[in-house]
Amino acid sequence: MLTVYGDNRSGNCLKVKWLLDRLGRDYRWIETDVMSGVTRSPEFLALNPAGQTPTVVLDDGRVLAQSNALLLYFGEGTPFIPGDRYDRARMLEWLFWEQYSHEPCIAVVRFQRALAGKRADEIEPRLIERGHAALARMEAALAGSDWLAGDGPTLADLALVAYTRVAPEGGFDLAAYPAVRRWIGRVETAFAIS
């Protein structure tokens, strides 16, 4: 059976879980507390030398990691990957941007505030500035469109909603981003996220 090593506090892990659930895939979830050091154990490093979650062991025993690679693997052949070449490339553009420009600030600030218990004044100001810049870019893109790429929900929407919906836990007030707030609701509905 498909096995997913993931931490339920991680948006990177949850987006894979949400896609598998939405697709009705059977899998075994192994809760993997990244803060406990288990991902640095010899057993886990044998599965994933990067020591990161999510890590998936496929039915045939092969291992895959990196959340957006997993989304692409499981999303193949579904409506969540656009058939149109341009829309598919736009989806990929957002997926790459998510891991480079969104997650490293929104998720990191959220982790430091909500999980590590840091005060707002202990957070690197540049991370907060970059987080707001990421949200502003999304706001601009969504002001004229319901979805990030194409005419319906794609893996780009799923990938970006994971940490955007919990951005307030990091102190990011989404009141200034009304298009983003409406989009979060649409994505949660499309992927049956509660």
Side-chain angles (χ1 to χ4, degrees):
M1 174 179 273
L2 183 69
T3 302
V4 181
Y5 293 85
D7 188 324
N8 271 312
R9 299 168 298 186
S10 164
N12 284 327
C13 296
L14 288 174
K15 62 189 175 184
V16 174
K17 181 182 188 313
W18 294 332
L19 180 61
L20 292 172
D21 289 345
R22 177 67 176 80
L23 297 175
R25 293 287 306 264
D26 288 329
Y27 63 93
R28 179 172 59 135
W29 179 272
I30 297 180
E31 186 61 25
T32 310
D33 180 356
V34 298
M35 295 178 75
S36 73
V38 69
T39 58
R40 298 292 175 213
S41 70
E43 296 80 16
F44 192 86
L45 291 171
L47 283 177
N48 181 349
Q52 298 173 324
T53 58
T55 296
V56 171
V57 180
L58 301 172
D59 297 330
D60 63 8
R62 292 181 297 169
V63 178
L64 280 177
Q66 296 301 318
S67 59
N68 288 348
L70 291 163
L71 291 184
L72 289 165
Y73 180 82
F74 293 117
E76 188 73 34
T78 73
F80 303 122
I81 296 179
D84 177 79
R85 184 177 175 193
Y86 178 79
D87 289 342
R88 189 170 50 255
R90 289 285 295 152
M91 178 199 72
L92 292 169
E93 179 182 349
W94 281 108
L95 287 174
F96 300 147
W97 179 82
E98 184 261 344
Q99 286 291 292
Y100 186 78
S101 297
H102 183 280
E103 192 266 358
C105 42
I106 302 281
V108 169
V109 171
R110 182 243 182 183
F111 175 85
Q112 290 180 0
R113 294 285 309 275
L115 301 176
K118 289 188 176 182
R119 296 182 322 267
D121 63 348
E122 296 178 294
I123 305 299
E124 171 62 42
R126 180 78 175 121
L127 287 177
I128 296 167
E129 179 184 315
R130 289 181 59 216
H132 281 292
L135 291 168
R137 177 164 188 238
M138 292 176 66
E139 180 71 16
L142 292 163
S145 179
D146 286 345
W147 309 103
L148 292 171
D151 297 327
T154 70
L155 298 178
D157 298 292
L158 180 59
L160 277 152
V161 84
Y163 283 113
T164 303
R165 70 194 292 266
V166 294
E169 294 177 13
F172 294 99
D173 184 359
L174 295 181
Y177 308 103
V180 169
R181 287 195 332 269
R182 290 189 298 272
W183 165 83
I184 289 170
R186 284 191 299 275
V187 178
E188 289 174 338
T189 299
F191 287 95
I193 299 167
S194 55

